[in-house]
Amino acid sequence: MDLISQLDEFERAALAEIAGAADSTALEAVRVRYLGARQGRLKDLQGSLGQATKAEKPVVGKRFNDVKNAVTAALDERKRTLSRPAVAAGGLDVTLPGTPFEVGRRHPLMQTIDEFKDIMGRFGFTAADGPEIEDEYHNFEALNIPLDHPARDPLDNFYLATASLTAGTGPRLLRSQTSTVQIRVMEQQRPPIRIISVGRVYRPDTIDATHSCMFHQMEGLMVGETVTMAELKTVLRLFARAYLGHDVHIRFRPSFFPFTEPSVEVDMSWNEPGKPWLEIGGAGMVDPNVLSAVGYDPDRVSGFAFGLGVERFCMRRYGIRDIRLFTNNDVRFLRQF
Ligand code: FA5
């Protein structure tokens, strides 16, 4: 057999044995047999190279190097394969790096709501819930908003046209304020009452940087034998201070809500020179008509109620300039909280 044929045969046999080596011990034995420095078959072939004629030498020398490189590479590759844990049936390679997945986080408004509940919980207010689809009685009538009141205008509310929802129970609408929960709680419980209710409300307002047609309010209600407006102011001030971490001042401006008497708009300011007062909600002493509607005796109990805009508070704390950011779902915004 000429030298080239011997090299071809060497390569074929070596590659076959390398592929057939079942573990690293068997592979090492193959390496010693074929490439071993003292007794390897390649060593013998190298010794035979001297027999080549001068003309054959470059061709045979090149083939020798190619074969040596191919067998060495095959050995290395097989070694890597054998050192990996077995590939499970079905072609799953458990050693491949996993697909990283993004860890989500709570929406800033949900975080704010949790914090509101936590702060108010420390003041003894428990959280209550009510439906977002309401009837006219709880959204208006029980809140002393008569049939001819402009707040009931269909253009200022999201009335539902769905027949199945309105059948037998009168028109339904998406609640326009969380004050509905005051009624639902007072229908169920006797005084003393100290609750908050945080949730979504809906109004067909024109959308801009501070107005949305779906936003959140926190309603507060405290009813007892001697509840006063001074306590209302204290609770609001302590709440705002706890949430914003500043010495917050609260200002009441006379206002009107059908379900409170007297009624006020609540403004807030903190120690930041040049910042104007910020309107954060409405409040007042629960109107005697509302207390009577739920079967309380207005001569024996009194109460305060307030309704704050959750987005406005959160925007103030984080310096968010546009309320639409909360619902745009831009992860660059959401990741910051
Ligand atoms: C009310 O909704 C009354 N229910 C509050 C109340 C409760 C008064 C209990 C008395 C007793 P008003 O419409 O002002 O009030 O809304 C309260 C707050 O909700 C506002 O101060 C503001 O912070 C927020 N708000 C109102 N409209 C929007 C809107 N379109 N987008 C975002 N926030 C709003």
Side-chain angles (χ1 to χ4, degrees):
M1 211 186 322
D2 63 26
L3 268 171
I4 294 289
S5 303
Q6 286 181 45
L7 285 167
D8 287 349
E9 196 277 328
F10 170 88
E11 184 182 34
R12 191 194 48 71
L15 293 182
E17 284 204 41
I18 290 167
D23 55 33
S24 47
T25 315
L27 188 65
E28 178 57 13
V30 175
R31 190 192 68 76
V32 170
R33 202 155 52 247
Y34 284 87
L35 298 185
R38 274 183 287 142
Q39 291 164 347
R41 281 185 56 192
L42 196 68
K43 179 102 175 109
D44 298 341
L45 283 170
Q46 195 174 9
S48 311
L49 287 183
Q51 298 164 9
T53 63
K54 203 173 175 195
E56 286 171 346
K57 263 193 182 141
V59 181
V60 174
K62 179 173 182 314
R63 180 68 187 130
F64 178 88
N65 286 333
D66 287 350
V67 167
K68 186 178 175 186
N69 290 339
V71 172
T72 308
L75 269 169
D76 290 346
E77 178 54 31
R78 184 74 186 143
K79 197 171 175 182
R80 269 196 298 277
T81 307
L82 290 174
S83 66
R84 274 190 224 135
V87 173
L92 174 68
D93 184 348
V94 292
T95 65
L96 286 175
T99 311
F101 55 90
E102 295 260 328
V103 178
R105 59 192 77 204
R106 277 175 80 63
H107 189 278
L109 282 176
M110 295 306 116
Q111 291 184 32
T112 306
I113 288 171
D114 285 349
E115 214 172 317
F116 279 17
K117 287 181 178 167
D118 185 47
I119 295 168
M120 293 304 291
R122 297 204 295 268
F123 300 156
F125 286 74
T126 50
D129 270 330
E132 289 179 26
I133 296 177
E134 264 298 3
D135 52 50
E136 288 189 300
Y137 176 76
H138 289 93
N139 203 73
F140 299 124
E141 264 160 69
L143 286 166
N144 204 26
I145 304 174
L147 207 55
D148 56 354
H149 195 282
R152 296 176 74 145
D153 192 322
L155 290 176
D156 291 331
N157 294 283
F158 286 115
Y159 276 92
L160 301 182
T162 318
S164 61
L165 286 170
T166 60
T169 53
R172 297 285 179 113
L173 71 161
L174 298 178
R175 68 179 177 192
S176 56
Q177 50 187 347
T178 42
S179 299
T180 52
V181 186
Q182 286 182 36
I183 304 300
R184 291 193 172 273
V185 168
M186 289 192 286
E187 282 172 342
Q188 301 287 326
Q189 295 176 31
R190 307 303 302 167
I193 285 182
R194 227 191 260 202
I195 58 105
I196 53 155
S197 183
V198 199
R200 276 188 283 266
V201 298
Y202 305 83
R203 292 180 193 175
D205 287 352
T206 306
I207 297 169
D208 61 22
T210 52
H211 291 85
S212 173
C213 54
M214 188 277 290
F215 57 99
H216 296 75
Q217 287 187 335
M218 176 170 76
E219 192 78 10
L221 174 71
M222 179 164 164
V223 183
E225 279 178 11
T226 56
V227 176
T228 67
M229 200 97 175
E231 283 165 307
L232 166 63
K233 199 168 189 178
T234 302
V235 166
L236 288 173
R237 186 167 58 82
L238 292 176
F239 166 74
R241 182 190 284 188
Y243 178 67
L244 294 166
H246 288 257
D247 195 7
V248 179
H249 300 283
I250 296 290
R251 179 174 79 176
F252 283 169
R253 274 181 295 119
S255 185
F256 175 77
F257 295 102
F259 37 92
T260 45
E261 181 59 37
S263 302
V264 291
E265 294 287 352
V266 186
D267 295 340
M268 172 182 89
S269 151
W270 62 19
N271 296 339
E272 283 187 347
K275 289 267 183 201
W277 288 90
L278 180 80
E279 185 197 311
I280 53 164
M285 298 303 292
V286 182
D287 193 287
N289 285 347
V290 174
L291 295 173
S292 301
V294 293
Y296 290 3
D297 181 353
D299 292 329
R300 300 195 51 189
V301 291
S302 59
F304 69 66
F306 60 82
L308 308 178
V310 175
E311 280 82 352
R312 301 266 172 94
F313 255 91
C314 182
M315 289 167 77
R316 187 72 163 89
R317 170 149 143 188
Y318 295 111
I320 298 166
R321 293 213 178 81
D322 197 320
I323 197 169
R324 287 166 287 203
L325 284 165
F326 288 122
T327 43
N328 280 355
N329 260 348
D330 185 336
V331 287
R332 291 168 304 176
F333 169 75
L334 297 172
R335 270 203 196 110
Q336 298 175 61
F337 298 90

